[in-house]
Amino acid sequence: MSYPVLLPRLPRRLALMVAVLASVCTSALAQQDAGGLVRVQVPPALNANPLKPGPKPGSCAKPVYPEASLRSMQEGTVTLSFLIGTDGAVKGAKIVKSSGFHLLDMAAHDGIRRCVFSPSIVDGKAVEAWMQMQYVWTLDASAQAQAAALSAARAGAQRGEPASQHRLGSIYMNGEGVARDPAEALAWWRKAAEQGYVPAYYSMAMTLQLGDSSEPDLAQAMIWYRKAADQSMPAAQNMLGILLLDGARAPSDKVAAREWFRKAAAQGWARSQAYYGALLLHDNTPEGMEHGIALLSKAAAQDDVVGQFLLGQCYAAGRGVPQDKAMAATLFEKAALGGSKWAQRRMATMYERGDGVTADPVKADQWRKAAEIPEPRPR
C-alpha cells in the first residue's frame, strides 16, 4: 500500500548538518512527491511540418511528465520550433508558445532535442529545415470515474468500513468530484482512525500539522504521527524524524530523529534513505561513507529528488565516488524536473558556466526562472 506524503520544509538542523559536507551536500533538502495519484498521457505530436516525413521509428521517445507538474495538476500545450540537420539530428530548438508552466516547457524542449528525424529533401538532397510541433500535456482524469469512486466510497463509509471512510475523506480533501472540504475530510479520517486504520492516523497528522480544517495543532499531529510510526508506517517515521530534528517546530531530539530515519530507510522509504544517508556521510567514517553512498544511490534509483541531488553533489565533488561531472549533471537534472529548487538553481549555474554540460545561456535562464516559481502548498 502506498501512503500520501507531506511535502515538508527542510529541518534546519539537518540543513546545517548537511552543509558541513561542503563537497557532498551544501544544500537544503527538496520536496517529496505525492505519488501516483493521477495517470497522465502525452498525446502524439500535432501540427508537424514542413517537408515530411516525420520521426524515424523508435527515435523520438515520449517525454516524461515532470513529477512536480503532476503534483500541481499542471496541463498545457507547448509549441516548439526546431532545426533538423541534414543527418536528421535536432540542431536547435526554441519554445514558440509556452504551456504556461516552465517544467512542462523544459521537458518538451529536452524531449525534442533527443529526437532524430528523417531530413527534409529538396531536389533530391538533404537540407536543413525548421519544423514546428506541439506537445500536449494532459491528465487522464474522468469525471465519470470520479463520480463512481465517490459513490462507492460513500456507501462503504456509511457501512462503517474504515478503508472507505479514509477514501471518502481523501476525496473531500482533494476535491475529487466534490467541493473541497477539509473539515469533512478530517471527520471521516477520524472515524477511520478510531477503528485503528493506520493510513488514517497519517492523514489526521498531516491535516492537523498543516491546519487545513482549523488552526495548526502540531502537538496533536505528533501524537498521530507517532501512532502511525509505532505501527511501522515509514512515511510517519520519516515525518517524525523531520519534526524531531527541526527544533523550531517540535522539541528537538537528534538521536530519536536519526533512529526514525533509520527505521524508515530499512523499509525502503526513499526520502529517509536520503536523509539517513546524509547523516551517515556526516559521520565521516569509512563505514558511514560507504553506507551513506549506498543509501543515496537507492533513494536516487527510486526517483527521490533529495537522493538525486545529494548523490549529484557527491559525483560533482568526488566524495565517496569517483568525480564525474556529467553524472552529476544527469542527477541534478532529474531532481530539477522533479521540482527540487536547489537542483534547478544548480542546473542554471551549470549551464551558465558550462560545468558538466555544454554552456547554454538560454537553458540557464529557463532553469533560473523555474527555480523562482514558489512551491505549491501541500495538501
Side-chain angles (χ1 to χ4, degrees):
M1 174 179 290
S2 62
Y3 300 106
V5 180
L6 180 65
L7 310 182
R9 297 182 304 169
L10 171 68
R12 294 188 303 173
R13 290 180 182 272
L14 184 57
L16 292 172
M17 190 175 300
V18 171
V20 174
L21 302 173
S23 60
V24 185
C25 35
T26 57
S27 71
L29 302 180
Q31 307 298 324
Q32 172 80 345
D33 93 88
L37 299 180
V38 293
R39 302 178 72 177
V40 300
Q41 294 179 328
V42 182
L46 307 176
N47 301 339
N49 58 80
L51 300 177
K52 309 273 194 257
K56 293 179 180 177
S59 64
C60 196
K62 185 168 65 176
V64 177
Y65 221 119
E67 293 180 9
S69 298
L70 289 179
R71 292 197 299 269
S72 302
M73 305 290 282
Q74 294 173 354
E75 297 178 291
T77 299
V78 186
T79 303
L80 297 165
S81 183
F82 52 97
L83 178 63
I84 301 175
T86 56
D87 61 351
V90 175
K91 300 181 65 176
K94 57 186 178 182
I95 296 169
V96 176
K97 185 176 180 181
S98 171
S99 66
F101 300 103
H102 278 287
L103 290 185
L104 295 184
D105 294 348
M106 289 295 298
H109 184 273
D110 289 347
I112 201 68
R113 291 293 296 263
R114 296 186 178 94
C115 292
V116 177
F117 293 79
S118 298
S120 297
I121 305 297
V122 175
D123 296 331
K125 294 183 179 180
V127 297
E128 293 186 352
W130 283 91
M131 293 181 69
Q132 193 172 100
M133 71 165 60
Q134 296 176 326
Y135 276 110
V136 183
W137 301 89
T138 58
L139 296 171
D140 182 20
S142 150
Q144 185 177 3
Q146 286 184 337
L150 175 61
S151 177
R154 191 184 302 282
Q158 291 172 347
R159 289 193 297 268
E161 300 168 1
S164 295
Q165 291 169 342
H166 184 255
R167 176 65 185 127
L168 186 58
S170 299
I171 287 172
Y172 276 108
M173 180 58 73
N174 296 325
E176 300 171 13
V178 295
R180 186 169 184 265
D181 190 339
E184 184 73 7
L186 187 64
W188 283 111
W189 285 339
R190 191 177 296 277
K191 289 178 183 293
E194 288 171 350
Q195 296 190 67
Y197 192 65
V198 176
Y201 295 166
Y202 186 76
S203 297
M204 288 279 294
M206 279 200 302
T207 303
L208 290 165
Q209 181 184 351
L210 294 172
D212 265 330
S213 63
S214 59
E215 290 299 312
D217 189 338
L218 186 57
Q220 282 296 310
M222 291 283 286
I223 291 172
W224 287 107
Y225 278 134
R226 192 173 296 277
K227 283 178 178 287
D230 286 340
Q231 295 298 317
S232 299
M233 184 181 186
Q237 292 170 339
N238 181 71
M239 277 306 305
L240 271 181
I242 290 170
L243 292 170
L244 291 170
L245 205 60
D246 183 6
R249 294 187 285 172
S252 177
D253 188 337
K254 291 185 286 185
V255 174
R258 183 179 178 120
E259 180 62 11
W260 285 121
F261 287 142
R262 185 195 67 77
K263 288 181 177 181
Q267 295 188 68
W269 194 252
R271 181 51 50 87
S272 287
Q273 288 174 337
Y275 286 166
Y276 189 50
L279 293 171
L280 288 170
L281 288 172
H282 182 258
D283 291 343
N284 205 29
T285 65
E287 297 80 6
M289 188 74 66
E290 182 179 0
H291 192 189
I293 291 294
L295 286 173
L296 291 181
S297 298
K298 288 180 179 179
Q302 294 185 65
D303 290 327
D304 180 79
V305 296
V306 175
Q308 290 166 340
F309 180 75
L310 294 181
L311 188 60
Q313 290 280 50
C314 292
Y315 276 105
R319 172 86 174 183
V321 293
Q323 188 176 47
D324 187 337
K325 292 194 173 183
M327 175 62 76
T330 297
L331 288 162
F332 289 145
E333 183 177 38
K334 288 180 178 179
L337 287 170
S340 166
K341 296 302 177 185
W342 285 91
Q344 290 166 4
R345 285 189 282 270
R346 185 63 181 264
M347 289 301 297
T349 301
M350 293 179 78
Y351 276 113
E352 188 176 71
R353 299 176 180 175
D355 182 18
V357 295
T358 302
D360 188 330
V362 174
K363 279 196 170 185
D365 185 60
Q366 288 173 329
W367 279 120
R368 193 170 291 108
K369 288 179 179 177
E372 292 170 356
I373 300 171
E375 288 282 354
R377 185 176 186 275
R379 65 178 189 177

